[in-house]
Amino acid sequence: REKLSLSFTILTGSILFLAFVFLFVFEMRSGGRLFAQRLTQRASTYGNLLFGQGMSFETLREMDIRRATRFQAEKTVILDSIGQVYFTTSDSLWFPTPNELMSAFMDNHKAILMRDDYRVIGKRVTHQGRPYFVFVGAVDAEQRMFLNQLRFILVGIFIGMLVLASLMGYRVWE
């Protein structure tokens, strides 16, 4: 009876552990895709406000500062067709230089650049027959925090499973 109990405990723990591993892998993949969509939407919004609505640079910068839904370390830059900075929301440098951004866009006709947790998405916008490239970069802090919590739960389940199996195994073969 105790051997059956041990086997059932190990089976249940293994199923739970595999379910969390699946959830972890699924969240890593889908969470990154969702964040990329949100950055692409943000790039479209900037392009539309600046070129479609004719909003001034100052108004756009002010709106960016006051926006409550900023991503962590979010920065936006708009380049003209030759790679010169047309507009930026930040004076500080960020990891991709305008040349890196333009070459990534020209190679793939889209730009998705990543370094550590920082992701940059680019979108092409045409205004009065001239192409402009809108790039938005940010850190996905929400997903990073969720994955860290999930990783902690996975490690806890694994250690708990090992301890429980060891204690029950010791008792069975005592």
Side-chain angles (χ1 to χ4, degrees), residues 30-41:
S30 65
R33 204 173 306 126
L34 179 64
F35 186 66
Q37 288 174 346
R38 291 177 10 200
L39 285 180
T40 303
Q41 182 65 36

Side-chain angles (χ1 to χ4, degrees), residues 1-32:
R1 183 172 160 216
E2 290 179 354
K3 286 184 181 182
L4 181 63
S5 178
L6 173 64
S7 298
F8 181 74
T9 301
I10 291 173
L11 178 66
T12 305
S14 298
I15 291 171
L16 184 62
F17 183 72
L18 289 175
F20 271 101
V21 167
F22 174 77
L23 180 64
F24 183 77
V25 170
F26 177 76
E27 182 59 33
M28 279 182 64
R29 304 190 97 172
S30 65

Side-chain angles (χ1 to χ4, degrees), residues 21-171:
V21 167
F22 174 77
L23 180 64
F24 183 77
V25 170
F26 177 76
E27 182 59 33
M28 279 182 64
R29 304 190 97 172
S30 65
R33 204 173 306 126
L34 179 64
F35 186 66
Q37 288 174 346
R38 291 177 10 200
L39 285 180
T40 303
Q41 182 65 36
R42 188 68 48 93
S44 296
T45 301
Y46 272 100
N48 184 39
L49 288 174
L50 194 59
F51 299 117
Q53 304 293 322
M55 190 176 281
S56 70
F57 293 149
E58 293 78 25
T59 306
L60 196 58
R61 269 200 196 95
E62 187 67 29
M63 183 191 76
D64 182 67
I65 291 169
R66 294 176 187 256
R67 186 168 19 101
T69 58
R70 286 183 60 89
F71 298 119
Q72 183 178 343
E74 181 183 344
K75 296 179 183 172
T76 303
V77 66
I78 300 175
L79 305 175
D80 62 13
S81 59
I82 59 171
Q84 297 295 320
V85 176
Y86 184 73
F87 170 79
T88 184
T89 57
S90 174
D91 294 331
S92 64
L93 295 175
W94 51 337
F95 90 81
T97 63
N99 290 337
E100 288 177 304
L101 292 171
M102 289 299 287
S103 66
F105 199 91
M106 295 305 170
D107 291 344
N108 303 324
H109 299 289
K110 64 179 181 177
I112 300 176
L113 299 161
M114 292 189 305
R115 182 173 295 160
D116 299 327
D117 290 334
Y118 201 81
R119 180 181 295 225
V120 179
I121 301 289
K123 182 173 177 62
R124 181 185 168 140
V125 176
T126 304
H127 177 65
Q128 296 178 347
R130 296 182 62 200
Y132 293 90
F133 303 91
V134 182
F135 297 95
V136 179
V139 173
D140 191 358
E142 292 173 18
Q143 184 190 22
R144 184 179 0 148
M145 185 174 63
F146 179 75
L147 289 175
N148 284 339
Q149 291 172 346
L150 198 56
R151 190 177 300 120
F152 180 74
I153 291 170
L154 276 171
V155 169
I157 289 173
F158 184 70
I159 291 172
M161 220 173 68
L162 287 176
V163 168
L164 187 61
S166 298
L167 290 175
M168 289 188 73
Y170 176 75
R171 189 166 176 230

